[in-house]
Amino acid sequence: MPQTNTDRLAIVLGDQLNVDSALFDGFDAEADVVWMAEVPVESTHVWTHKARIALFLSAMRHFRDLLRKDGLAVDYRQLDDEGVRPTLGEELAATIGRLKPQRVAMVHAGEWRVQREIESAVEAAGFELEVLPDRHFLSTPEEFAAHAKGRKQLRLEFFYRELRRKHGVLLEDGEPTGGKWNYDAANRGTFGKSGPGELPEPLAFSPDKTTREVFRLVESEFPEHPGSLDHFDWPTTPEEAERALDDFIEHRLPSFGQYQDALWTDEPFLYHSLISSSLNLKLLDPREVIRRAEEAYHSGAAPLESVEGFIRQILGWREYVRGIYWLHMPEYLERNTLGANRPLPEFYWTGDTEMNCLRQAIGQTLEHGYAHHIQRLMVTGLFALLVGVDPRAVHEWYLAVYVDAVEWVELPNTLGMSQYADDGVMASKPYCASGNYIHRMSNYCGGCKFDPKKAVGDDACPFTTLYWDFLARNERRLRGNNRMTMQLKNLERKDADELAAIREQAEALREELKDVR
Ligand code: FAD
Ligand code: SF4
């Protein structure tokens, strides 16, 4: 290897914008170079929402500027630079050829595909890649694999308790604060007929010069991509992310627990934190988020059911799904337990549907690149499950349209939790429900031409029609699952003629939804 001035080429990916990462331990500003690149394929391998592209590029550029201000050399390739290569692997190979470093290092990527691509490029250039652990998380894939070993059935609750103990979170003398590990039962409130009343407006971050430049680039390079930049106000720097967290802790955390599962027309954010994109880009440290929430409980600013409910999402679900991802990739991506093979309905890309709940959830997704958990799971996810959409197509949609979408977190939530395509690794039963669930949790049905109680007829709710059809279609497979007993008993009670009419209407609906982009 020829002697050059660059000692270590330190790879920073678009979701690794963290100065505390292991990559910067012992960083030699005289001899080491940071490498970052914006390449087209990262925005096109799924048909990515404009706001998601803009957020990644803007946050990367802000991070580059921060490192340079701190005196670090950053070799940065912009999407609008001349001759930019399509993929990360190709750009990296070219940079290695040009800078001829002594060593190449990275923190482990968040996506299996990207990790393999970097490894291949570095290996082809004749180097051994130094891969460092991702210290952002509170658990490691190895720890999760050890937890999973020998267990027939994985459940969030047990891993979550292990992490509470390990990190001393919401514990008093080794016991859970308040005497219970989990306040899930207190997290299912609805707004009732009167609605949520006046909601606290989340802090908005108006686009600065860097972000506006990125907007122009996105509009010129990806004009046909879904979504809009008109409402973009996401944090793009650690300072902004910190302020977004402050705003949530003060104004929305106290009611977060009670209304975590509720839905309401034209209210996209309710009491949610809106910090997932900042966490996933690593602008925010989850330890700090957990510490702040715990502090709010101890100071009396927020009740335990809110604080525990919130911490369960970050310390529980977020770590748990990452464990599942790395335990099962790459074969996880291919799973399709229910043999679902329908195309994704066209209206997922436009919001153009008469079903009000879907119009609301998809409409705000296209506007903001955001929908909260129950919208993702029990509106868009549920509908795809009931129709029998190919889980790969559902996955590609979720990975494309949310600003917080990164595969390690998106895939287990989509393919596992929402589509039950992993045969129960993520969820002990399919999250299947009729329109009555949406009716109970929201006011969507009041503004809809369909009736959630009806399964047949012109005004039958498609969710309700497809729900009974889903149970009937998958009855044999679901029989062995004792958590499905009640739902299957209700199916048995259906009159044969009524069921035949439902199934006929469901088939007609599924046929109607066949046209795709
Ligand atoms: P809040 O409701 O305020 O929750 C707080 C935080 O907890 C979130 O910011 C997030 O970091 C974490 N969290 C909550 N639920 C989960 C979960 N199920 N898995 C992992 N972390 C969780 N989350 C993503 O970050 N990226 C994704 O691409 C993503 N795709 C999803 C796809 C589907 C089909 C479903 C059902 C869920 C998905 N989630 C994803 C999880 C969850 O919906 C989002 O994290 C959440 O809606 C983000 O909004 P928020 O920051 O306001 O979260
Ligand atoms: Fe959605 Fe059915 Fe309610 Fe309409 S009636 S909003 S389609 S659940």
Side-chain angles (χ1 to χ4, degrees), residues 449-451 454 456-462 505:
K449 71 174 257 193
F450 301 113
D451 180 345
K454 289 197 184 158
V456 273
D458 285 349
D459 61 347
C461 165
Q505 182 150 340

Side-chain angles (χ1 to χ4, degrees), residues 163-223:
L163 292 183
R164 288 261 299 266
R165 287 216 161 87
K166 177 179 163 198
H167 294 280
V169 174
L170 286 179
L171 278 192
E172 276 159 32
D173 303 325
E175 292 303 316
T177 301
K180 279 203 304 188
W181 287 102
N182 187 313
Y183 289 81
D184 197 22
N187 296 156
R188 297 184 198 131
T190 63
F191 294 116
K193 282 208 168 57
S194 54
E198 190 146 349
L199 288 161
E201 184 96 353
L203 202 60
F205 300 91
S206 42
D208 65 1
K209 185 165 167 280
T210 303
T211 305
R212 289 196 305 273
E213 266 169 33
V214 165
F215 283 179
R216 281 192 286 280
L217 179 66
V218 171
E219 292 293 9
S220 76
E221 296 292 317
F222 309 105

Side-chain angles (χ1 to χ4, degrees), residues 272-298:
H272 291 274
S273 67
L274 316 183
I275 59 165
S276 47
S277 58
S278 299
L279 278 169
N280 296 349
L281 296 181
K282 319 278 161 64
L283 304 178
L284 267 184
D285 184 336
R287 289 163 195 79
E288 167 72 359
V289 176
I290 292 167
R291 189 188 66 73
R292 292 289 309 281
E294 243 191 308
E295 202 175 81
Y297 167 66
H298 290 300

